[in-house]
Amino acid sequence: MIVVAAGSGTRLAAGAPKAFVPLDARTILEHALDGVYAARPACVVIVVPEGLTEPATRMARSRGALVVHGGDTRQRSVAAGLAALPDDVETVLVHDAARALTPPAQFAAVAAAVGPGVGVIPALPVVDTLKRVHGGAVLAPVDRAELAAAQTPQGFPKEELLAAYALAAREGVAYTDDAALFAAVGGAVRHILGSEEAFKITTPHDLERARMILSSSSSAERDIPRVGIGTDVHAFASGGTLRLAGLDWPGEPALEGHSDGDAVAHAIVDALLGAAGLGDIGQHFGTAHPEYAGAHGDVFLARTAEILAEAGFEIGNVSVQFQGNRPRFGARREEAERALSDALGGAPVAVSATTTDGLGFPGRGEGIAVTAIALVHSAR
Ligand code: CTP
Ligand code: MG
């Protein structure tokens, strides 16, 4: 998905590039990304004005987005975003950051309707009576039944959109949206029903409207806490020393794993990321992040707490239970709870343990299984 946010916002005239204008405690771009990420895109490229790539990269770090700088027209900005997309992407959605309150379902509906040779745009019927005018004169009525107001995200098969952009660049032709550019090379474009909430923040009045929508909905939504669940299973290795729940366990064999195998810490990481809707452990700490190979669970926990804080979440509490014959937890429960809580920056963590009556792999002593749940809430 490409999110274009490189415009200057001339018509808004709010003293900063439009995407960086605040709606509440957060900017237009940050709100736009909430909707984008709620739709679980495989990859997001944010296109921002030159000179703002660094702050945007910091802001987008916890989300894992790529940030590139745009051009002097929307078309050039989209082209910059397209150039940064990974090769394996098949469907591209291009979205205006200025449509900050676009509902997540609109992204999913557009993506689902894209097919070979077919682009898709969300659009709304036009409600006003329309006139063709010239200067001060009204020339003729226009049949609004034939018209629709286009929104974003607009979705296309990537290879065909790339080809269309390459051609438009060669011919030096300017288009106002991606659908027009795609259609100009013979692509078919279909429309699905857009939504009122996806309006584009263009004028100061639009900004007021967006702020009012947020202030009326957010006071109710903000206070609803969110829960997440995480599980992890690791086999015992033949040697080494066990690292579990943030503690060393001399005399107990280590667990297998890409990192230290601390299944208690890993289950908590997944529960926290899940609660905040920020992905999972593989995405943030997996094999694509070699800097975490062999890392201790505490490092994962500390970084997870940071990721949540950057996204505006506070941790309420965490409860975690492991199933296994060993280690014997009773005597070290408080120590483990303290270690895990410290790693999370102080949030309460409760640890419990149970055996499985000899059943299954934990009962046979082959490994352990851990389940964690976490509660988080908005810090604002
Ligand atoms: N956009 C962009 N690069 C440009 C121009 C526009 O990435 N050179 C993006 C904007 O950031 C916005 C979207 O395209 O998210 C739609 O453009 P528009 O609403 O026109 O935004 P601006 O160009 O910033 O506003 P204005 O036309 O009032 O200056
Ligand atoms: Mg513009």
Side-chain angles (χ1 to χ4, degrees):
M1 172 128 50
I2 296 169
V3 180
V4 280
S8 54
T10 327
R11 287 167 289 179
L12 190 61
K18 185 157 76 181
F20 296 82
V21 171
L23 283 182
D24 43 25
R26 301 159 73 233
T27 60
I28 288 178
L29 177 57
E30 286 172 288
H31 278 282
L33 291 176
D34 286 349
V36 164
Y37 275 95
R40 304 223 152 266
C43 160
V44 175
V45 179
I46 308 172
V47 188
V48 300
E50 196 161 7
L52 286 174
T53 47
E54 267 190 36
T57 304
R58 269 199 303 282
M59 187 269 288
R61 191 162 74 121
S62 59
R63 313 246 206 189
L66 293 170
V67 177
V68 297
H69 69 78
D72 55 357
T73 63
R74 184 183 182 281
Q75 190 171 324
R76 291 206 177 96
S77 294
V78 175
L82 281 172
L85 276 180
D87 287 345
D88 56 355
V89 170
E90 285 176 12
T91 298
V92 189
L93 265 55
V94 183
H95 184 53
D96 290 339
R99 299 183 187 275
L101 305 184
T102 305
Q106 184 153 320
F107 295 90
V110 169
V114 174
V118 181
V120 176
I121 67 168
L124 283 182
V126 176
V127 291
D128 292 318
T129 292
L130 299 173
K131 305 289 185 196
R132 190 173 309 285
V133 297
H134 184 74
V138 173
L139 302 183
V142 177
D143 181 7
R144 70 177 168 221
E146 288 182 2
L147 301 176
Q151 299 184 329
T152 70
Q154 301 192 346
F156 307 90
K158 186 183 80 174
E159 289 309 320
E160 291 158 62
L161 187 65
L162 281 177
Y165 262 86
L167 189 68
R170 267 200 307 281
E171 295 183 344
V173 189
Y175 298 93
T176 51
D177 73 351
D178 311 291
L181 187 149
F182 187 77
V185 296
V189 181
R190 305 199 55 79
H191 65 98
I192 61 169
L193 187 62
S195 53
E196 296 282 353
E197 303 94 296
F199 69 98
K200 183 155 71 73
I201 300 172
T202 306
T203 62
H205 178 264
D206 297 328
L207 185 67
E208 267 323 296
R209 180 175 165 202
R211 286 177 174 165
M212 273 172 63
I213 292 172
L214 281 175
S215 65
S216 60
S217 64
S218 61
S219 52
E221 282 166 11
R222 199 163 27 201
D223 298 334
I224 300 175
R226 302 171 51 138
V227 295
I229 187 162
T231 66
D232 198 22
V233 169
H234 278 288
F236 284 114
S238 42
T241 298
L242 177 67
R243 177 87 189 166
L244 192 66
L247 304 179
D248 288 320
W249 298 81
E252 301 282 349
L255 292 163
E256 309 264 12
H258 154 66
S259 60
D260 64 357
D262 189 337
V264 167
H266 299 172
I268 294 174
V269 167
D270 258 347
L272 287 168
L273 291 173
L278 291 171
D280 64 15
I281 192 167
Q283 186 182 331
H284 293 276
F285 302 100
T287 45
H289 297 273
E291 68 272 25
Y292 290 113
H296 271 179
D298 334 19
V299 175
F300 286 28
L301 290 172
R303 177 66 192 131
T304 301
E306 215 173 81
I307 291 171
L308 262 67
E310 283 165 10
F313 288 101
E314 241 168 50
I315 302 170
N317 74 302
V318 173
S319 173
V320 59
Q321 184 182 53
F322 88 85
Q323 301 184 345
N325 298 344
R326 53 190 219 219
R328 286 299 192 193
F329 234 75
R332 300 190 71 188
R333 179 203 308 277
E334 280 176 25
E335 201 187 336
E337 290 177 341
R338 216 168 30 246
L340 294 166
S341 168
D342 285 351
L344 287 175
V349 179
V351 184
S352 57
T354 181
T355 59
T356 60
D357 214 7
L359 295 173
F361 64 86
R364 291 190 297 272
E366 293 165 10
I368 65 167
V370 187
T371 307
I373 62 168
L375 185 118
V376 305
H377 56 89
S378 170
R380 285 179 270 266

